[in-house]
Amino acid sequence: DIQMTQSPSSLSASVGDRVTITCRAGQSISSYLNWYQQKPGKAPKLLIYAASSLQSGVPSRFSGSGSGTDFTLTISSLQPEDFATYYCQQSYSTLTWTFGQGTKVEIK
Amino acid sequence: EVQLVESGGGLVQPGGSLRLSCAASRFTFTSYAMSWVRQAPGKGLEWVSALSGNGISTYYADSVKGRFTISRDSSTNTLYLQMNSLRAEDTAVYYCAKEDIAAVGYYYYMDVWGKGTTVTVSS
């Protein structure tokens, strides 16, 4: 199984801040990396696929980058509705996925 | 709007069985792979199982292999997860998700999720 490790596990930030979350794969996964946002009591929502492609309807303040083993999700200017938990997920090994442990973004 | 609705969750004793259903609507069900993902209370997301778009290939996490079976009924656009020999650690909210593939590069991603159904394994 491909291990996915996110950092940090949690962070505190203010509205308007630039936020960066990192995800590291246990082996090279090219660009087979997705990012999801989950709010309490809700289903996850796809933000980014193929490492850097923005899902339709997702605000442009969200962006993804990286390839190989190191990936980043960036929120350019944090908004009140962005306080949530974010997960990375590898899609390299066909239909056998693993998620990172999650990063909780909290209000400072 | 594409929709997935899970059902079938509930309270079951350790060693028992349960079958989850996921009713799909407003997309061509047999053209897409589907996955089950679970989330234990206060924990992160764990992928559980997937079914290929042609309905032939199945995939399982090691934690459920040999105990869970994924299947579908194309006539009713319903995805299933048969769960046997349930353990306390299977307690979670179970989500079904539609798998889409990017036009270039064969990149899979879960673009539509249901709201989930809760499974509690306890005596």
Side-chain angles (χ1 to χ4, degrees):
Chain A
D1 287 5
I2 300 175
Q3 282 284 101
M4 306 299 295
T5 304
Q6 287 182 234
S7 60
S9 296
S10 64
L11 64 91
S12 296
S14 301
V15 172
D17 283 353
R18 181 181 182 88
V19 169
T20 298
I21 298 168
T22 297
C23 178
R24 176 164 288 175
Q27 67 178 70
S28 177
I29 58 170
S30 184
S31 297
Y32 291 89
L33 192 284
N34 304 323
W35 289 98
Y36 300 86
Q37 175 195 66
Q38 187 181 34
K39 296 180 180 179
K42 300 294 187 182
K45 172 188 173 183
L46 176 69
L47 298 176
I48 302 283
Y49 64 94
S52 60
S53 296
L54 192 67
Q55 172 67 352
S56 176
V58 174
S60 59
R61 62 181 179 273
F62 291 93
S63 64
S65 63
S67 66
T69 59
D70 295 318
F71 301 88
T72 299
L73 173 70
T74 300
I75 309 172
S76 61
S77 177
L78 197 66
Q79 298 302 299
E81 60 267 31
D82 301 336
F83 292 96
T85 300
Y86 294 84
Y87 294 91
C88 64
Q89 172 239 329
Q90 63 81 14
S91 60
Y92 181 81
S93 41
T94 302
L95 292 174
T96 308
W97 313 138
T98 44
F99 289 90
Q101 81 277 18
T103 295
K104 186 174 184 178
V105 176
E106 299 176 300
I107 302 172
K108 182 182 284 185
Chain B
E1 181 188 354
V2 173
Q3 192 173 24
L4 299 171
V5 179
E6 302 93 337
S7 61
L11 175 64
V12 61
Q13 292 187 338
S17 298
L18 211 54
R19 188 177 80 160
L20 305 184
S21 300
C22 171
S25 57
R26 300 188 186 91
F27 68 98
T28 305
F29 183 63
T30 52
S31 293
Y32 294 91
M34 298 288 293
S35 278
W36 287 97
V37 175
R38 69 185 180 184
Q39 186 169 37
K43 302 297 184 182
L45 301 173
E46 180 188 15
W47 172 81
V48 172
S49 181
L51 181 66
S52 62
N54 60 14
I56 294 175
S57 299
T58 58
Y59 306 83
Y60 300 95
D62 288 343
S63 58
V64 306
K65 202 171 291 183
R67 301 188 298 123
F68 289 12
T69 302
I70 191 171
S71 63
R72 75 184 184 189
D73 183 338
S74 302
S75 66
T76 60
N77 288 352
T78 304
L79 179 74
Y80 297 104
L81 186 68
Q82 176 67 43
M83 305 187 296
N84 299 331
S85 303
L86 282 161
R87 307 166 180 166
E89 53 266 35
D90 296 318
T91 295
V93 175
Y94 285 74
Y95 298 100
C96 68
K98 169 181 165 285
E99 299 272 1
D100 205 347
I101 307 177
V104 178
Y106 210 63
Y107 296 98
Y108 275 100
Y109 49 92
M110 290 176 274
D111 66 333
V112 179
W113 295 66
K115 293 184 177 182
T117 188
T118 299
V119 172
T120 303
V121 184
S122 175
S123 54

